[in-house]
Amino acid sequence: MSPSTYEKYKHFIITFPYEYVAQVEINRPQKLNAFLEVMWVELGAIFRQISTDPNARVVILTGAGDRAFTSGLDVQAASQSGALAEKQTSSDGARTAVQLRRHIQDFQNDITSIEKCEKPVIAVLHGISYGLAIDVTLACDVRICARNTRFSVREVDIGLAADIGTLSRLPAANVPMSWAKDVCLTARDFSAEEALRVGFVSGVYDSKAAALGKALEMGQLIALKSPVAVQTTKEIMNFSRDHSVQDGLNYVANVNMAMLQTQDVKDAMLAGMQKRKPQFSKL
Amino acid sequence: MSPSTYEKYKHFIITFPYEYVAQVEINRPQKLNAFLEVMWVELGAIFRQISTDPNARVVILTGAGDRAFTSGLDVQAASQSGALAEKQTSSDGARTAVQLRRHIQDFQNDITSIEKCEKPVIAVLHGISYGLAIDVTLACDVRICARNTRFSVREVDIGLAADIGTLSRLPAANVPMSWAKDVCLTARDFSAEEALRVGFVSGVYDSKAAALGKALEMGQLIALKSPVAVQTTKEIMNFSRDHSVQDGLNYVANVNMAMLQTQDVKDAMLAGMQKRKPQFSKL
Amino acid sequence: MSPSTYEKYKHFIITFPYEYVAQVEINRPQKLNAFLEVMWVELGAIFRQISTDPNARVVILTGAGDRAFTSGLDVQAASQSGALAEKQTSSDGARTAVQLRRHIQDFQNDITSIEKCEKPVIAVLHGISYGLAIDVTLACDVRICARNTRFSVREVDIGLAADIGTLSRLPAANVPMSWAKDVCLTARDFSAEEALRVGFVSGVYDSKAAALGKALEMGQLIALKSPVAVQTTKEIMNFSRDHSVQDGLNYVANVNMAMLQTQDVKDAMLAGMQKRKPQFSKL
Amino acid sequence: MSPSTYEKYKHFIITFPYEYVAQVEINRPQKLNAFLEVMWVELGAIFRQISTDPNARVVILTGAGDRAFTSGLDVQAASQSGALAEKQTSSDGARTAVQLRRHIQDFQNDITSIEKCEKPVIAVLHGISYGLAIDVTLACDVRICARNTRFSVREVDIGLAADIGTLSRLPAANVPMSWAKDVCLTARDFSAEEALRVGFVSGVYDSKAAALGKALEMGQLIALKSPVAVQTTKEIMNFSRDHSVQDGLNYVANVNMAMLQTQDVKDAMLAGMQKRKPQFSKL
Amino acid sequence: MSPSTYEKYKHFIITFPYEYVAQVEINRPQKLNAFLEVMWVELGAIFRQISTDPNARVVILTGAGDRAFTSGLDVQAASQSGALAEKQTSSDGARTAVQLRRHIQDFQNDITSIEKCEKPVIAVLHGISYGLAIDVTLACDVRICARNTRFSVREVDIGLAADIGTLSRLPAANVPMSWAKDVCLTARDFSAEEALRVGFVSGVYDSKAAALGKALEMGQLIALKSPVAVQTTKEIMNFSRDHSVQDGLNYVANVNMAMLQTQDVKDAMLAGMQKRKPQFSKL
Amino acid sequence: MSPSTYEKYKHFIITFPYEYVAQVEINRPQKLNAFLEVMWVELGAIFRQISTDPNARVVILTGAGDRAFTSGLDVQAASQSGALAEKQTSSDGARTAVQLRRHIQDFQNDITSIEKCEKPVIAVLHGISYGLAIDVTLACDVRICARNTRFSVREVDIGLAADIGTLSRLPAANVPMSWAKDVCLTARDFSAEEALRVGFVSGVYDSKAAALGKALEMGQLIALKSPVAVQTTKEIMNFSRDHSVQDGLNYVANVNMAMLQTQDVKDAMLAGMQKRKPQFSKL
C-alpha cells in the first residue's frame, strides 16, 4: 500500500515525511480547520486504513496553517444541516432521540478509530484548539503543542455536554479531576503552560515548527523500534486504562505469549550488545 | 422554592449571593467548624434539597471564620457519643460490626449527596482543613483554596483508616498515587502549593476572600450557561470516572439523545453568532 | 519471627534499621543490581514473608551501591537461559505460547507480592533505574529518589512490550497518560525532576543518602502509628484504584466494621488529647 | 420496635404471624392490588423500616384477595396523573427528560429497598401477576406461587420498556435469556408451571393458601437460624450476582472476618452436637 | 427502503412474509448451509442494513432446506484458504499472530452485528446445527427449534476453542455452566429436548414448518407493538446482561427519559382501554 | 512426571485409570470424607501439580466409600482447633479479624486451585454431599452424581455464611437465583433430581459406579482431543463467566492468535476428513 492510496481524501493531506512515519494534516486552513461532518467521516476512514498499513509505524496528526489546529465544529454549517440543526424527521420525541443517538454514535466511532489504530498517534497542537480539538486529540496517544496554543472545551457554550469523547476521555487521561471539571464546566480558555502543568500535553515547544520537529524526531525514534513491541505497548496501555491492574496483567500475559515468539527480540538483543541499529520486518 | 426554605438548618448558612449561585457555609467557627454527627446529617439534607432546586445552578461550599474550613471530626464529642465511643449495643463482635456498618454507611451517604447533587459544587478551602475537610471536598467537583490552607488526611492519627470517602475518592481525583499514599499513611500536613502541584486543588489564591471571590466569579460564569449543558457535563464526568471509556461514550449517547432536544442549543448558537448573552429556562 | 529468618536470601540484604522498619536491599552492585531469574523469585518470597511478620510495619526498598537501583533485566544472562532465550520446548507455536505464559505469570506474581504485602513499601531509587526498576517500584506504595536518578522504561528497546507490570500499573499510578505513553513508546531516559513533575515519584533528594534518610524518617513516622489503621489504609487504597467509588465505599464499610473494634482508636484518641505517643500491639 | 409501628401504612397490612416472621400484604384487593404511586412510596418505606427492625428476621410478601397478587400499574390512574400522564412541566424536551428521570429513579429506589432490606424476603404470588408483580418480586430473594398464577411482563403492551427493574433483574435471576426475551418482547402470559421450569419461581403449590403455608414454614425455619448467618448469606449472594467470583471471594473474607466473631457459631455448633435448637440474640 | 435493496446478497434470501417481519434465510442447502468466509461477511452486512430499516420491526433467521440449519464452517474450503489454512504471510510467530487476530476480530464483528441489530432476532433451528449454528444463534435474541434438531459445539473436534462467540455467549445465555462446559469440552451432540431442558432454546416444535410457523406468529405479535418499546426492551436486556443491576437501572432511567416522550404510550394506553389495536409510526 | 509423584498425599488417592485421565479420590471414608484443615491444603497442592502435568489432560474428582462424597467440614475437629475454635491470638477485635481473614483466604485459595487448574475437572458426587461438597465441586467444571446423592448448603446451620466459595460461585453456575437463595438460606437437603432440574448437576446416574463410569467415559473422550483446544476452552469459559461478552470476545481473539498456530488444527482437520483418530502431543 503506497502513500498514493491516501490521495482520495479531500480534507486531509497524508504524507510520509520519513520511512514508516505518516503525517495526517487537517486541511481547511481558510476556515481555521473547522470540522464539517464529511471531515470526521474521512478522519475515521483514514485511521482505519493506516491501522493495517505496514508502511506506517507511527502517525503525526497536525492542522494546516498558522492560526489553528482546529476551531472545532463548524457551527454555522452545523446550524444549517446535520444533527444539531436538522428538521426533525419525526415529531415524536422518542423517534427523534433514536435518530440523534445513531448520529452521535457514528460520530463517536469515527473519532475512536484514532484510538483503535494499531499504530501510535502523536498530536501536535498549535493556535486555536477548541472543542473538537480536545475530543480528537484525547483519542491520540501523545499530545504536544506550540507555546501559542489556546485550548478550550467549548461545548457548554453552545448548550451541549461535549459528546464526542472529551467528557469520557479527559478523566481517563489522568489529568486532575478538579481541573478537568473546571475547564469543562466554564468553557474557559487555557494555555499551553497550564496544559503542560496538569499533564494534558507532555511537551510545549516555541513554535508550531518546533513542536512538529519534535514530533517527527519522536516519530523517527519509534519507527526504528520493533513494530511488534511498539504496537503491543499501545494496545496494552489502552486496555489497562479501562481495567483493573490484575486484568491488565492477565492481558499482558496472553498477548505476550504470542508476541515473544518474534524474531525481533533476538534481533534487538543482539543489536543492543553489538551497539548497532536493528532492522525489523513490516507489520 | 425560595432561599427561606433553607433557614431550618442549624449548622450551615445558605445564601444566594448571585442569581442561581448558592453558597453553603459550614457555621461552627468557634470550634474551627469541627463536625458533630448532626452536622453531616444536615449537610446531606441540604445537598439533596439543592439538587432539584431550580433556583440553584451552581453551589459554593465554604467554612465560616478565618481560621479553618474545618478541623474535621469533633474528636472530643465523638469520644463521648457516636460510633467511635458508643457503649457497644452488644457484646457480640458480629452484632457490633453490623451496627457500626449501618452507622458508617449513613455517614458516607450524607457526604455522597454532594457528589450526587445535580448542580456543580465548588469548594473553597482555607486555614485548617483536616480529616473531614478532605472527605467532604473530594465529593465536590472543583477545589480551590487560600494560600494559608493547611491540609491533612488526619484519620490514621486516631487509629482509623479514613472511612467517609478519602481513601476511595483520592485515587479517583487523579492525583499521583505515590503522593496520595504518602499523605494518607503519614497523616502529615501539606500546603496549598503542594496541593496545587499534585492537582488536589486547581487554584490557590492569596487569601480566603480572594479564593471566595474567584469561586463566585466562576459560579456566575457557570450560572449564565445552559443548565442542561452544565448539569449533563457534571453527570457524565462522574459516570466516566468509574467506567471504561466505551461505557462512557455509550452513556453520553444515551443522555444526549434526550438533552439535544433542548431549545438551549439553538438559543446558545444564535446568541453566539449575535455576540450576546443567551437566557435559559430553569432546571 | 526475628530478622535472622531473613538471612537465607542470597541476592537481598534484609535489615531492621529501626523498630518495625524493615529495609530490603537489592544486592548485586557489581552488576548494577541487574536481575537474574532467581532474584525475582527471592523478591517474591521476601515480601510474602514480611507481609505477616509482626515485627515489620513498613518496608524500605533500596539498591546496593552508588551507581544503580537496578539496570533491569540481566540481558546477557537472559539471552542464555530463561523465557527469552530458551530452546523452545516444542516446535508447536501454541505449546510454546503456553510455556511462555506460565513463565510470565510466575514472574508477574513475584512482583505483585510487593503490592499484596500487607505493610506499606517505600521505594528509594537512585542512579540507573531502568526496565525492571519501573516494574518493581510501581508495585510499591511510595516512590522517592535521588537527584541523580536516570529512569527508563527500557523494554521496547529489546523488542518487548514491558510485561511484568509497567504497562498495567503506570496508568494506575495516576501519571498523565500522554507522558506515560511517550516514555513507554520511546524508551527514552527521564530525570528525577521530570519524574517528580508528572508524579511518578513524590520526592527528590540531593543524594542517595538523603533520599534514604527521608525514607527512614517516613518509615519511623508510619511505624509509630496504629498498624491496624496503616495496613487498612494501604489495603483500601489498592482496592479503590481498581474499582468504582461506590464499590470502594462499600469495601471501606465492610472492612472498618471489624477494624473499628480495635483498642487502637481509643488509645490513639486518648494519647492525642494527652499530647503523648501511643503504643500499639503488633499485627 | 413493635408491630404497632407498622400501622401507619395505608395500602399494606404488616403482621407477624410467627416470632421474627413479618408478613407484608398488598392491600387493595377491590382493584386487583393495582399500584398507585403512593403505594410504591409506602412499599419503599416499609422495607427500609423492616431492614433494621430486630423483631423481623425474614419477610413474606403477599397480595390480598383471591384474584391477584397485583395486576400491575393502575393504568387508569396513571393516565390521569403521574409521570406517564403529566402535563409536561416544560415544553423543552431536555427539561421534560430530567423530570421523568427523577421520577423513574425515585420509583426504582422504592422497589430496590426490598433488595437492600437486610432480612430475606419471600414472595408468594397467586392469580393475576402482571407488570409490577414481576418488577417487585424480582427484588425479593425467593419466589414461590400458587398453581393458578398468570404471569406477564406487561409493559411493552402500553408502549413501555419495563423500567422499574424487570429488564435489569430478569437476566440476573439466572433464567434462560432466550425465554426471558420471549416473554419481555411479546408480553404474553405464562403459567406457574412454565415459571417453575425456567426457574423464575422455585416452587408451585396447589392454592394461594398452600403457597403461603409453605412460605410461612420456610420463614419459621429461617427465623430459627443465626440471624448473623442468614443476613450475611443474603448480602453476599446479592453482591456476588453483580461481581466476579474473585471479587465475591474477597468480599466474603472481609465480611466474615467480623461475622465469625459471633457467639452464634459456638452456640450453633454446640447445639448441633447436642441435637437441640440454639437460641440467638436479635439483630 | 424496500425489500429489493436486499437482493444483492448471494448466500442469503431476505423476504418480508408479513408487514414489518423480515426473514433471513441461509441459502446454501446443497452444502448443508455450511459457511464460507464470504457468507459471514454478507451476514454482517445484512443485519447492519436491517438495523435501521424502518420496514423491519423483527427478524426471523432460518436455514434453507430440510437437512440442516447449518453444518458450521465449511472445513474443506477452510483448509484450502482463509485463516486456518493460509500460507502464513510471515515466518514470524508474532506477525502471524497479528494477522490471525485481525481475521478473528473481523469474523466476530460480523456475527456480533446480529446482537447489535436494533430489531429483535428470532432464530429457528432444525436438522444439523453444528459449530457456527451455535455461535450465530447465540447472537440472536430468541432461539426455538424443530424436534429433529441435532446440536453440537463442534470446534474442539478440529483442534479449536470456539472463537466466534460460543464460549463468551453461552455462559451469558444463562444455561447451567456444568452443562455448558460438558457440551463445549466433549463436542458431543445434544437433542432439541435437552436444549429445551437447559434453556438453550425456549421452544421445541414438531417440524421445521411448525417451528417457523411459531416464529412468524411471534414475529407478527411483536410487529404490532410499539417499536419504541420493543427495541428499547432488546437494548436494555443486552446491556443488563453485561452490567450490574444498579448500572442496568441507571441505564433504563437514562434511555426511558427520552423514550417515554413518545406518542406510542398514549396511543397504546388509549387503545388498551378501548380494546382495539393501536397503530405506531415507523422506527 | 509420573503418577508416583502423587504418592506423597495422605488424604487423597491419585490414580490414572486411563492414559491422560487422572482420578483424585478424597480418602477418609471412615469419617464420611469429612475435611480436616490439612486436607484442603493437600487438595490445593494436588491441583496445582496436575495443572502443569503433561500426563494429565482431564481430572475426575470422587469420594471414597459408599456413604458420602463428603459430609463437609469435620465440625468436631474444627471446634477444637483452627479458625472457628482458636483461642483468639489477640483480645483485640481488629487483630482477631486480620488473623481470621488470612485464614479464610488461604482456605479459599486452596479450593480455587481446582478452578485455576489448566485441565478440566469432572466431579462425581454420591451419598452425603454437604457443605464443603458444594464449595469444592462448584470450583470444578462439570458436576454429575449418583441418584442417591443428598446435597445441602449446610453452613447457615452452624452460624456461618458459607465462606469458601458457595455463595460466590452458585450464582455464577447459572442456577436459578430463587432456588439458590432457598437452599442457602434454609440449609435444607435437596435431591439429585432437584439438582438436575435446576442445573446444579448435568447428569444423574443410577449408582456411584454408574456415575463414575460415565465420568471416565467423558474423561477418555476429552483426553483424545487436542489438549490445546480443550484447555483453551476451559480457560475462555472461566474468563467469560466473569466479564462482559465483548471482553470475552477480545480475550478469545488474543488467546487464539497464539493457539491457532498449533499443528493440532491441521492434524485434527486431516484426521476428520480421513475418519481416523488424531494423535496430539503433550501439554
Side-chain angles (χ1 to χ4, degrees), chain E residues 201-239:
Chain E
V201 298
S202 45
V204 174
Y205 301 89
D206 279 345
S207 62
K208 180 187 168 186
L212 178 56
K214 178 65 189 179
L216 288 170
E217 185 191 310
M218 200 185 301
Q220 285 174 278
L221 184 59
I222 293 172
L224 280 173
K225 297 183 194 300
S226 156
V228 170
V230 164
Q231 295 169 31
T232 307
T233 296
K234 169 172 181 169
E235 176 193 343
I236 296 173
M237 295 185 84
N238 278 358
F239 181 89

Side-chain angles (χ1 to χ4, degrees), chain E residues 61-250:
Chain E
L61 179 65
T62 58
D66 287 337
R67 295 176 55 208
F69 176 81
T70 175
S71 59
L73 187 69
D74 186 324
V75 175
Q76 204 157 16
S79 70
Q80 283 157 8
S81 70
L84 297 181
E86 72 196 322
K87 287 175 202 64
Q88 297 179 345
T89 53
S90 164
S91 62
D92 188 75
R95 284 169 177 78
T96 301
V98 170
Q99 301 296 341
L100 283 168
R101 186 168 57 179
R102 288 175 184 163
H103 195 89
I104 295 169
Q105 288 180 329
D106 285 347
F107 194 169
Q108 290 177 340
N109 288 340
D110 284 324
I111 304 305
T112 295
S113 71
I114 302 175
E115 189 171 292
K116 288 195 173 166
C117 176
E118 297 182 5
K119 318 300 165 57
V121 183
I122 302 167
V124 183
L125 296 122
H126 74 281
I128 295 170
S129 296
Y130 284 177
L132 270 171
I134 311 295
D135 295 283
V136 166
T137 60
L138 278 167
C140 300
D141 298 289
V142 175
R143 283 170 299 282
I144 63 176
C145 72
R147 195 167 308 282
N148 76 342
T149 316
R150 297 301 302 166
F151 298 95
S152 171
V153 181
R154 210 53 155 192
E155 285 86 346
V156 84
D157 267 354
I158 52 166
L160 287 177
D163 57 357
I164 309 305
T166 292
L167 302 184
S168 297
R169 288 201 177 93
L170 200 51
N174 281 354
V175 297
M177 282 299 278
S178 175
W179 176 84
K181 284 186 167 170
D182 168 356
V183 296
C184 290
L185 290 167
T186 63
R188 71 169 172 85
D189 278 24
F190 58 96
S191 68
E193 280 70 25
E194 187 173 351
L196 180 64
R197 183 170 57 75
V198 298
F200 177 74
V201 298
S202 45
V204 174
Y205 301 89
D206 279 345
S207 62
K208 180 187 168 186
L212 178 56
K214 178 65 189 179
L216 288 170
E217 185 191 310
M218 200 185 301
Q220 285 174 278
L221 184 59
I222 293 172
L224 280 173
K225 297 183 194 300
S226 156
V228 170
V230 164
Q231 295 169 31
T232 307
T233 296
K234 169 172 181 169
E235 176 193 343
I236 296 173
M237 295 185 84
N238 278 358
F239 181 89
S240 294
R241 179 195 64 185
D242 284 339
H243 292 80
S244 71
V245 166
Q246 191 54 57
D247 267 7
L249 292 170
N250 291 344

Side-chain angles (χ1 to χ4, degrees), chain A residues 149-163:
Chain A
T149 316
R150 297 302 301 168
F151 299 95
S152 173
V153 181
R154 211 49 156 191
E155 284 86 345
V156 86
D157 266 353
I158 52 166
L160 287 177
D163 58 356

